[in-house]
């Protein structure tokens, strides 16, 4: 059992909470039994190290079983070591180190997608991770984070995806203009989610959302710049029927993605 929270190995894992360490190593931190179980089931080849306290492994038998099936060794660690490694205040006793695995824009568009989400300057980790999770749930083919958005492998982003990071292809670090140009060339209509757009209900009735679509979501506070807004084929807003001042970006994105998913599946 690893029981020294100050050991070089433990410190190396803890450093992955910082972007510099992730960039230097090409690894990222994966916390919690649910996320680790998803990685073991869908992408076990990405796991570099897997650590767990005996108590946590006993509580989460599926992790032990999947690790054995995937040929991944579980290393036991003490509670103090898990606390030193973790980015969370109250870790759940299971942590993995994974290889980063972004998908290229060429591969995403080459797969002839019919629904993707593009995030431009989305800075909040919780929003970015939740949108990836919503895209996965809605059956989207991919998510693209432009270079001005939050780091995909930020621990808070990874946690917010709740394992969906291992289900849906994600492209990172590309320029928005390039993405939109190539998305349109691949036959996708680009729809900006913006308060200046037309009402979502009207667009639903018009059948706009049934075609191959790339949803474009902008910054939480400022939305899209005028320059980037002009690059979209059309803009749609999610109406607010109550008295809320505004809608959280991830919530609005979830509505938009599901509206497309419904439209594309309606006979």
């Amino acid at each position: 059992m690893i029981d020294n929270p100050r050991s070089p190995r433990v410190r190396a894992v803890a450093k992955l909470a910082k972007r510099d360490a992730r960039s230097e190593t090409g690894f990222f931190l994966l916390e919690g039994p649910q996320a680790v179980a998803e990685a073991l089931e869908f992408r076990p080849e990405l796991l570099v190290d897997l650590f767990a306290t005996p108590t946590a492994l006993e509580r989460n038998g599926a992790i032990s079983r999947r690790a054995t099936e995937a040929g991944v060794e579980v290393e036991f660690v003490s509670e103090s070591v898990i606390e030193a490694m973790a980015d969370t205040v109250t870790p759940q006793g299971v942590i993995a180190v994974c290889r980063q695995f972004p998908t290229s824009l060429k591969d995403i568009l080459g797969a002839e997608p019919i629904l993707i989400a593009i995030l431009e300057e989305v800075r909040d980790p919780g929003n970015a991770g939740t949108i990836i999770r919503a895209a996965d749930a809605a059956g989207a083919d991919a998510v693209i984070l432009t270079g001005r958005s939050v780091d995909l492998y930020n621990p808070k982003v990874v946690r917010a995806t709740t394992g969906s990071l291992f289900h849906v292809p994600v492209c990172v670090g590309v320029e928005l203009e390039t993405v939109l140009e190539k998305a349109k060339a691949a036959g996708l209509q680009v729809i900006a989610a913006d308060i200046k757009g037309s009402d979502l209900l009207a667009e639903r009735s018009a059948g706009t959302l049934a075609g191959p679509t790339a949803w474009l979501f902008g910054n939480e506070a400022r939305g899209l710049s005028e320059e980037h807004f002009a690059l979209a084929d059309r803009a749609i807003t999610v109406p607010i029927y109550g008295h809320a001042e505004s809608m959280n970006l991830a919530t609005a994105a979830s509505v938009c993605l599901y509206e497309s998913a419904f439209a594309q599946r309606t006979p």
Side-chain angles (χ1 to χ4, degrees):
M1 176 181 286
I2 303 173
D3 58 5
N4 181 5
R6 296 183 179 85
S7 72
R9 193 172 181 204
V10 173
R11 289 182 176 181
V13 174
K15 284 181 180 178
L16 294 175
K18 304 297 184 182
R19 185 165 190 164
D20 286 348
R22 295 194 298 272
S23 298
E24 182 181 338
T25 62
F27 299 151
F28 70 98
L29 198 62
L30 186 65
E31 289 192 50
Q34 179 61 40
V36 170
E38 294 299 314
L40 284 168
E41 181 171 355
F42 290 91
R43 299 296 302 271
E45 74 281 3
L46 297 173
L47 271 74
V48 177
D49 293 301
L50 176 54
F51 306 99
T53 64
T55 302
L57 200 62
E58 185 178 347
R59 286 198 307 262
N60 299 278
I63 290 178
S64 181
R65 185 186 74 252
R66 291 178 183 178
T68 300
E69 293 171 351
V72 176
E73 179 185 0
V74 181
E75 296 188 66
F76 284 118
V77 296
S78 65
E79 295 287 350
S80 61
V81 165
I82 279 289
E83 290 174 2
M85 288 178 170
D87 179 64
T88 53
V89 177
T90 54
Q92 300 177 60
V94 181
I95 285 179
V97 174
C98 293
R99 296 182 183 87
Q100 298 178 22
F101 60 110
T103 305
S104 71
L105 180 61
K106 180 180 179 181
D107 286 345
I108 285 175
L109 297 179
E112 300 181 354
I114 61 170
L115 180 59
I116 64 175
I118 303 170
L119 280 57
E120 161 63 13
E121 205 182 353
V122 173
R123 299 290 179 85
D124 183 87
N127 279 335
T130 301
I131 292 172
I132 292 171
R133 184 180 181 184
D136 178 25
D141 299 294
V143 177
I144 298 171
L145 276 68
T146 67
R148 289 153 57 86
S149 290
V150 64
D151 177 21
L152 172 64
Y153 300 106
N154 178 305
K156 293 179 182 178
V157 176
V158 175
R159 287 198 299 275
T161 71
T162 321
S164 287
L165 178 62
F166 300 102
H167 305 162
V168 60
V170 183
C171 174
V172 301
V174 289
E175 292 301 316
L176 180 61
E177 291 83 355
T178 300
V179 175
L180 298 185
E181 177 185 352
K182 293 186 179 298
K184 291 178 182 181
L188 294 159
Q189 62 174 339
V190 176
I191 302 180
D194 194 278
I195 58 173
K196 299 187 292 292
S198 57
D199 188 279
L200 178 61
L201 191 60
E203 295 291 348
R204 177 204 286 177
S205 301
T208 303
L209 303 177
T213 300
W215 277 101
L216 175 58
F217 305 106
N219 179 265
E220 291 88 348
R222 299 182 298 278
L224 294 165
S225 68
E226 290 298 328
E227 177 185 1
H228 291 154
F229 179 83
L231 295 176
D233 295 310
R234 55 171 44 86
I236 293 177
T237 186
V238 178
I240 295 177
Y241 298 120
H243 301 291
E245 181 272 331
S246 62
M247 187 178 293
N248 170 268
L249 174 64
T251 302
S254 299
V255 172
C256 294
L257 290 166
Y258 258 97
E259 282 289 343
S260 286
F262 294 149
Q264 292 172 351
R265 286 165 174 75
T266 299

